[in-house]
Amino acid sequence: MAEKRAIKEGEDVDSKLQLTEFISVSELANLMDVNFTDVISKCMSLGIMVSINQRLDAEVIELVASEFGFEVEFINLEQEAEQEAEIIDAPEDMEPRAPIVTIMGHVDHGKTSLLDYIRRANVVAGEAGGITQHIGAYEVTLENGKEITFLDTPGHEAFTAMRARGAKVTDIAVIVVSADDSVMPQTKEAISHAQAAGVPMIFAINKIDKDGANPDRIREQLSAMNILVEEWGGKYQSQDISAKSGLNVDLLLEKILLEAEILDLKANPNRFANGSVVEASLDKGRGFVSTILVQSGTLKIGDMIVAGSIFGRVKAMTDERGKKKTKAGPSTPVQILGLNGAPQSGEKFKVYDDEVEAKEIANHRAQILREQGMRTKKHITLDEIGRRLALGNFKQLNVIIKGDVDGSVEALSDSLQRLSTAEIAVSVVHKAVGQITESDVLLATASDAIILGFQVRPSSQAAKLAENENIEIRYYSIIYDAIDEIRSAMEGLLEPKIEKKAVCNIEVREVFKITGVGTIAGCYVMDGKIKRDTKINLVREGIVIYTGELASLKRYKDDVKEVLSGTECGLGIKNYNDLKEGDIIEGYEEIEVKRTL
Ligand code: GDP
């Protein structure tokens, strides 16, 4: 498909090629009107070994084309198709729609209680039966007839899953903070998530029924983060509530409506529907069941839907009360049957009137996805920067900084921001002291960021999640190294370099002080193997507190050269005696990593 669309403009020196990424060597040769052997030999002279049918990524295409005197412009078929089909509604067709709200906050601060209360409460104009099903989203009608749609998965996950696929679904974020506690790490993360997405926040200061509740302390802590609530002369609305008894929840809902009014949310209900997928699963009896949120237009039974590479006709539609529906307008969540698979959360969907076209689009996407899945990294990495620069749509490098002390985090953040150039802005999405958590990885997924760990490590769940989500975590112990590496990547000059690669993790289980010898730790090798000359980092609660070498390595009484995973051993660290039970000793090797194109 690339070659069909590609056109060559003019024959003069500054010829421009319009093409898609991943065209093959022979296709590229055709476009430039040169022999494919010339392209292959040019590649070889650039140190890239290719065959005639090999597909090339953007960076290589740009490099090779420029050698032949061509400029390239990359077009993204999917995007292009979307833009073509994007319907711009006339202002007079727009009608007000309900706000879509996500509830976020620290664990146990009352998110679920608030959602539950709203779901069954008397603040909602009583529809008989109440909400019986969890479908991932629900709509409530207040006594004044106004409606609000809630995404019914409390926490960052729902929000992030949506954002990760580029869906802007949430209009307003309600941040729940418990008045008997304080602004906690996840509260801050929730705020970072909302700010990164540019979604307005309303604060719900919860549990005011409890003894010891002190809402003012929360307002004060928020103000220390530069978030001034209205009572304190700021722009953020906040409401003291009790999610348990329902006290003031009606006032909170009013504030949501007020915020919605300011946002002036509108959509055109009189056209083919589009929107986002909230969740989807395979149900034994019914086939694929998807909850989708209509954002524009009206969805009807029988409509042909495409969501990513999934398609199908809507066979049945129900709301959160299990009631059958025949149509659903803007801001309405519905559960539908009839798709040929389970689309991902956050995937956009659209209705097509032509079945053949819909299937073609879905299949074409499946093909592109396969190719991209094999060939490209889903998320940004330092090596990926060069490729995206070549594609020409890389404007901002997002980073998340976690460090062992505030001073280093601030210093790193300041220096990195100063690296911003006219082409790429470096933006620090989140920075904090402490271990790298799952939430950091989720935020990185959603905002396509690299995580920089300065003398800190991820928790094991975070490491696993990062691996699954292809999030790059880079570790540094010298600020200059971090800055230097990122600067080089931004200049497209990533040199082969020495990288530390973790080779084992060892848990300290007992500590013995031996006079004349120093501290010896009784340890267990959790994974990998440790050798006598392995260099080590000592990690305590996710923070690297010492880097050095072993002084001794023993099995029982004998000195040994190496100890394997699943075995106990005794060891001492050179010039370091302050070992504690529960410490993790991370062994690493220094290897030369070549930059791959
Ligand atoms: P989540 O983790 O944020 O979803 O928090 P939950 O909604 O599960 O609430 C955590 C605990 O706090 C539960 O035991 C709730 O009963 C309790 N809780 C929630 N809201 C209130 C409240 O307004 N007042 C009191 N006293 N307890 C509350």
Side-chain angles (χ1 to χ4, degrees), residues 106-113 206-207 209-210 242-244:
H106 195 74
V107 63
D108 277 349
H109 279 196
K111 301 176 291 291
T112 316
S113 307
N206 190 27
K207 305 198 191 181
D209 58 299
K210 276 183 107 168
S242 165
K244 201 169 184 177

Side-chain angles (χ1 to χ4, degrees), residues 14-34:
D14 58 6
S15 301
K16 200 170 200 174
L17 301 175
Q18 270 197 330
L19 36 74
T20 52
E21 199 181 6
F22 305 125
I23 58 171
S24 68
V25 167
S26 64
E27 287 164 356
L28 181 61
N30 274 340
L31 285 174
M32 297 191 297
D33 213 3
V34 299

Side-chain angles (χ1 to χ4, degrees), residues 287-298:
F288 292 100
V289 180
S290 323
T291 298
I292 58 172
L293 187 62
V294 178
Q295 290 175 279
S296 242
T298 298

Side-chain angles (χ1 to χ4, degrees), residues 96-103 115 118-119 124 131 135-142 145-153 159 162 169-174 199 253 256-257 260 265 276 278 291-295 319-321 325 328-334:
R97 64 169 178 86
I100 299 162
V101 178
T102 305
I103 294 186
L115 277 164
I118 295 169
R119 194 185 291 144
V124 179
I131 296 168
I135 67 166
Y138 61 85
E139 196 177 19
V140 295
T141 312
L142 308 191
K146 295 246 167 85
E147 290 174 333
I148 303 177
T149 299
F150 287 91
L151 287 180
D152 188 11
T153 315
F159 191 73
M162 298 276 173
V169 177
T170 305
D171 299 308
I172 297 167
V174 170
V199 170
L253 296 178
I256 293 176
L257 288 176
L265 303 166
S276 301
V278 178
T291 298
I292 58 172
L293 187 62
V294 178
Q295 290 175 279
D319 68 7
E320 63 278 352
R321 293 173 170 80
K325 292 184 81 124
S331 296
T332 313
V334 277

Side-chain angles (χ1 to χ4, degrees), residues 471-503:
I471 291 297
E472 183 171 42
I473 306 182
R474 314 277 305 191
Y475 306 109
Y476 298 99
S477 47
I478 298 170
I479 290 184
Y480 180 77
D481 283 350
I483 298 165
D484 204 39
E485 220 171 74
I486 292 192
R487 183 192 298 119
S488 315
M490 284 167 61
E491 288 166 355
L493 300 168
L494 225 46
E495 294 295 325
K497 60 182 170 359
I498 304 297
E499 197 170 80
K500 289 181 178 180
K501 179 170 171 274
V503 292

Side-chain angles (χ1 to χ4, degrees), residues 306-318:
V306 178
S309 53
I310 307 288
F311 66 92
R313 271 192 198 285
V314 180
K315 281 201 292 211
M317 224 184 327
T318 46

